[in-house]
Amino acid sequence: MLNRRIVLDHRPSGLPTPDIFRVEEVAVPELTEGQVLLRNRIFAIDPAVRGMLDDVKSYMPPVAIGGLIPTMVLGEVVRSRHPDFREGDYGRAFAGWETYSVLSPSQVGFENVHVSPDLPMTAYMGACGWSGITAYVGLKRYGEMRDGDEVLVSAAAGAVGSVAGQIARLSGCRVVGTVGAADKARIVTETLGFDAAIDYRAEPDLGMALDRAFPDGIDLYFDNVGGATLDAALPRMKAFGRIPVCGMIANYNQQTEPFPIRNLWQMVVNRITMRGFLAYEAADMVHEAEAALAGWIRSGELIALENVATGLESAPDAFIRLMSGQTTGKTLVRLDQDVSIFPN
Amino acid sequence: MLNRRIVLDHRPSGLPTPDIFRVEEVAVPELTEGQVLLRNRIFAIDPAVRGMLDDVKSYMPPVAIGGLIPTMVLGEVVRSRHPDFREGDYGRAFAGWETYSVLSPSQVGFENVHVSPDLPMTAYMGACGWSGITAYVGLKRYGEMRDGDEVLVSAAAGAVGSVAGQIARLSGCRVVGTVGAADKARIVTETLGFDAAIDYRAEPDLGMALDRAFPDGIDLYFDNVGGATLDAALPRMKAFGRIPVCGMIANYNQQTEPFPIRNLWQMVVNRITMRGFLAYEAADMVHEAEAALAGWIRSGELIALENVATGLESAPDAFIRLMSGQTTGKTLVRLDQDVSIFPN
């Protein structure tokens, strides 16, 4: 049995291009004791992968030349030599862009996912998966969100931002999102129910736009981007404002010359707390987050915004579109047309 | 009775110069009910005053042209129309550069200070006053200091840094300080007992100096300066590193063009928590801090590093020397030679 996989051909400089990836076929190895074979159904495409393509220190080791591109997958167990997993089980794991993955659940994170017939399977890779969990723990734990907070969310039409803004709204906050296009501003307000959106590309002065949106200042800034948006938000935080930092995508394409932040001294002026976090490390809150997110999706109060491409070979292009800022919602790749979005 | 006072003649641009201040004499007003008259004995000169000399938003309102320069004073009550204070009491208050202050203790912060005969009176304005309290709560609460932490302190020969490094040492941490002169490096290691000091002006590359001082990374960076030191520390923080931010003096003289921080995206890589804080707002910890600091000073384990000028008219020069980075320890002004350093 053959496994098709996408590996790193050479390192990118700046924005990734299709030529840095190549497809190869290798045999699927026999399982050894304790392993499972996953047939991958959905990839979650994540901007954090960008950092792993460079040969620099990050919270994940860099991808080797010729190495598999890492990704979160949702797959179906098709063979098992592990006592806890059976054929037909679904699971989420950090694997790679490949059709089959051989995993040792006791060595890598492998979560059994009980796919529910009343949720689309893609939701487990987006709004009810790690994107949604990131939004939830970022606001509630690292952002100490309170009822009535005035909340700013950057990359508000993105995978995490789109959920974060909706959770803030559902938690009694006023929420404003920043986006990079007029159509995204419309999605954020009309589809997702944000109180307002700022299209930063249409604003001659982002700070003045924030002044208009937050005449009394910002209690909580859920930061997905860093860069100019963070710099404009810092002087507009209220006293004791909180900035959970989920990502600084503005820098992922330009690590040698990241955007210069000039207003950080406002940390003292406004006694701001800023926290970088990874949702995986708030393990004790995951079940609470999943239950809340699934409930809101089922009731229709939370929209799971997604863009889905089809076929293993579409993964590089989906990643490049994500990094160029053209996408809305969670970027997913389903591996073949016959992945039923609603299982059974 | 005449009150001599120093007021703002005009606003500075960049580093303050003596001409921006002028001395004036006004009559001491009669007390009204609820007021006390303080004869000021010691001023604490604080870099935060720099921000108040500009006409911009800060955590304190700007000083008006012709207005009194704000400062923390230690004074003796010489008249009282307040039931809780009697002549001969000592108190600490946020007043101004003037020989006498009329205060309403119920309206402004006025703390009775029980000056102890076995501590120098100046300590209540430095290592056992708000500088020491700032160091204590910054490390313990906002920096979540733990036994065994590897701690970096910037402005390590300064009023707060000199105490912070000693508290870290006394709490079982390894501590390295950054300073801006060779003689300060010697004071920090030989007098204050830091494990090492880095003279950043003598280092061609501050980052490489930090790499040598912290081969395994930094757990806690007590930031007094912001700017280039913060930027060099960010990529060298361990996972879950903490950065309590007490001040960003690097920016106080150049608010229109603050130092650009380029490594802030390391907040996510290293899941850093950074907190701007004011010690006054950790009110519930103040007694614990004062007791610990007084105990360490009495036992000789903690050195109260001070530089003391004499006479009201020396205040502008003391402030200018402080802002130019030439001082070590707490910068104080005692108003006349007959202030006994040890009361009684």
Side-chain angles (χ1 to χ4, degrees):
Chain A
M1 194 161 65
L2 281 180
N3 186 20
R4 283 176 71 76
R5 38 194 275 157
I6 298 179
V7 299
L8 183 64
D9 185 77
H10 57 273
R11 300 202 184 278
S13 62
L15 210 62
T17 46
D19 60 289
I20 66 167
F21 303 105
R22 75 181 139 79
V23 181
E24 63 178 27
E25 285 193 337
V26 293
V28 173
E30 288 301 308
L31 297 191
T32 59
E33 196 57 35
Q35 291 187 322
V36 298
L37 178 65
L38 271 195
R39 182 182 166 203
N40 293 327
R41 311 305 292 264
I42 304 176
F43 299 155
I45 309 294
D46 192 304
V49 167
R50 180 63 189 83
M52 301 179 218
L53 301 183
D54 292 324
D55 193 14
V56 296
K57 181 194 170 197
S58 183
Y59 49 86
M60 297 294 291
V63 177
I65 300 297
L68 184 64
I69 307 300
T71 201
M72 183 70 70
V73 304
L74 179 69
E76 185 184 347
V77 175
V78 290
R79 287 183 212 155
S80 176
R81 294 188 64 184
H82 190 291
D84 299 344
F85 301 98
R86 294 182 310 175
E87 286 180 32
D89 283 355
Y90 276 85
R92 214 160 38 195
F94 200 66
W97 291 354
E98 57 185 350
T99 48
Y100 291 95
S101 296
V102 173
L103 300 171
S104 299
S106 55
Q107 288 167 31
V108 301
F110 181 81
E111 315 160 84
N112 226 318
V113 173
H114 299 284
V115 293
S116 162
D118 60 353
L119 280 186
M121 199 189 281
T122 50
Y124 293 98
M125 295 296 273
C128 199
W130 283 106
S131 296
I133 297 164
T134 296
Y136 189 95
V137 304
L139 289 167
K140 297 240 177 183
R141 170 161 298 170
Y142 301 102
E144 298 169 48
M145 180 172 60
R146 293 158 206 158
D147 185 39
D149 270 354
E150 301 211 63
V151 177
L152 175 66
V153 177
S154 54
V160 175
S162 62
V163 185
Q166 293 182 86
I167 295 173
R169 168 175 57 76
L170 291 164
S171 305
C173 299
R174 182 174 165 270
V175 60
V176 177
T178 63
V179 294
D183 60 326
K184 291 185 181 180
R186 221 163 22 243
I187 289 170
V188 158
T189 51
E190 293 175 12
T191 308
L192 306 181
F194 283 52
D195 293 283
I198 296 170
D199 173 7
Y200 68 84
R201 289 185 208 203
E203 293 290 344
D205 185 322
L206 180 57
M208 285 178 61
L210 289 175
D211 284 339
R212 285 192 299 272
F214 295 96
D216 300 323
I218 302 164
D219 291 295
L220 194 168
Y221 169 37
F222 190 102
D223 186 9
N224 287 302
V225 301
T229 307
L230 174 60
D231 217 21
L234 277 163
R236 291 166 178 91
M237 299 303 293
K238 293 188 198 177
F240 312 112
R242 293 139 270 142
I243 306 181
V245 185
C246 162
M248 291 202 177
I249 195 174
N251 295 315
Y252 292 163
N253 285 321
Q254 42 180 354
Q255 298 198 348
T256 54
E257 195 67 4
F259 183 92
I261 302 287
R262 294 193 182 272
N263 291 323
L264 198 64
W265 62 289
Q266 296 278 344
M267 294 284 298
V268 189
V269 176
N270 293 320
R271 287 87 85 210
I272 296 167
T273 295
M274 191 184 305
R275 285 194 189 91
F277 73 95
L278 293 178
Y280 313 99
E281 293 167 346
D284 58 310
M285 252 188 131
V286 167
H287 286 303
E288 173 192 331
E290 287 176 322
L293 292 160
W296 283 323
I297 295 171
R298 281 196 189 95
S299 69
E301 293 170 286
L302 192 147
I303 306 288
L305 201 64
E306 296 166 355
N307 66 88
V308 186
T310 302
L312 175 81
E313 283 81 355
S314 69
D317 187 54
F319 175 65
I320 290 166
R321 277 188 300 115
L322 172 64
M323 294 310 296
S324 71
Q326 294 167 35
T327 56
T328 58
K330 185 69 182 179
T331 299
L332 300 174
V333 171
R334 57 179 182 182
L335 289 209
D336 41 53
Q337 283 292 4
D338 73 343
V339 171
S340 53
I341 292 305
F342 288 87
N344 312 320
Chain B
M1 194 160 67
L2 280 181
N3 186 20
R4 281 177 71 76
R5 39 193 274 159
I6 298 180
V7 299
L8 183 64
D9 184 77
H10 57 274
R11 300 200 184 280
S13 61
L15 211 62
T17 47
D19 60 290
I20 66 167
F21 303 105
R22 74 183 140 78
V23 181
E24 62 177 29
E25 285 193 336
V26 292
V28 173
E30 288 301 308
L31 297 191
T32 58
E33 197 55 37
Q35 291 187 320
V36 299
L37 178 66
L38 272 194
R39 181 181 166 205
N40 294 327
R41 312 305 291 264
I42 304 176
F43 300 155
I45 309 294
D46 192 306
V49 167
R50 179 62 189 84
M52 301 179 219
L53 301 183
D54 292 323
D55 192 14
V56 296
K57 182 194 170 196
S58 183
Y59 51 86
M60 296 295 289
V63 177
I65 299 296
L68 184 64
I69 308 300
T71 201
M72 183 71 70
V73 305
L74 179 70
E76 184 184 347
V77 175
V78 291
R79 287 183 211 154
S80 176
R81 294 189 64 185
H82 190 290
D84 299 343
F85 302 98
R86 294 182 311 176
E87 285 180 32
D89 282 355
Y90 277 85
R92 213 159 40 195
F94 200 66
W97 290 354
E98 57 185 350
T99 48
Y100 291 96
S101 295
V102 174
L103 299 171
S104 300
S106 54
Q107 288 166 31
V108 303
F110 181 81
E111 315 161 83
N112 227 319
V113 173
H114 299 284
V115 294
S116 162
D118 60 353
L119 280 186
M121 199 190 282
T122 50
Y124 293 99
M125 295 296 272
C128 199
W130 283 107
S131 296
I133 297 166
T134 296
Y136 189 94
V137 304
L139 289 168
K140 297 240 177 182
R141 170 161 297 171
Y142 301 102
E144 298 169 47
M145 181 170 61
R146 293 158 207 160
D147 185 38
D149 271 353
E150 300 210 65
V151 177
L152 174 67
V153 177
S154 55
V160 176
S162 61
V163 185
Q166 294 182 87
I167 294 173
R169 168 176 58 75
L170 291 163
S171 305
C173 299
R174 180 174 166 269
V175 60
V176 177
T178 63
V179 295
D183 60 326
K184 292 185 182 182
R186 220 161 26 241
I187 289 170
V188 157
T189 51
E190 294 175 13
T191 308
L192 306 182
F194 283 52
D195 294 282
I198 296 169
D199 173 7
Y200 68 84
R201 288 184 210 208
E203 293 290 344
D205 186 321
L206 180 56
M208 285 178 60
L210 289 175
D211 284 339
R212 287 191 299 273
F214 295 96
D216 300 323
I218 303 164
D219 290 296
L220 195 168
Y221 169 38
F222 191 101
D223 186 10
N224 287 303
V225 302
T229 307
L230 174 60
D231 217 21
L234 277 164
R236 292 166 177 91
M237 300 302 294
K238 293 189 198 177
F240 312 111
R242 292 139 271 142
I243 307 181
V245 184
C246 161
M248 289 202 177
I249 196 173
N251 295 313
Y252 292 164
N253 284 323
Q254 42 179 355
Q255 298 198 348
T256 53
E257 195 66 3
F259 184 90
I261 303 287
R262 294 193 182 271
N263 291 324
L264 198 63
W265 61 288
Q266 297 278 346
M267 295 283 299
V268 188
V269 176
N270 294 321
R271 286 87 85 208
I272 297 167
T273 295
M274 191 185 304
R275 285 194 189 91
F277 73 95
L278 293 177
Y280 313 99
E281 293 167 345
D284 58 310
M285 253 189 131
V286 167
H287 286 302
E288 172 192 333
E290 286 175 323
L293 292 161
W296 283 323
I297 295 171
R298 281 195 189 93
S299 68
E301 294 170 284
L302 191 148
I303 306 289
L305 201 65
E306 295 166 355
N307 67 89
V308 185
T310 302
L312 175 81
E313 283 82 354
S314 68
D317 188 52
F319 175 65
I320 290 166
R321 277 188 301 112
L322 172 64
M323 294 310 297
S324 71
Q326 293 167 35
T327 56
T328 58
K330 185 69 183 180
T331 299
L332 300 174
V333 172
R334 56 179 183 183
L335 289 209
D336 40 53
Q337 285 289 4
D338 73 344
V339 170
S340 53
I341 292 304
F342 287 87
N344 315 318

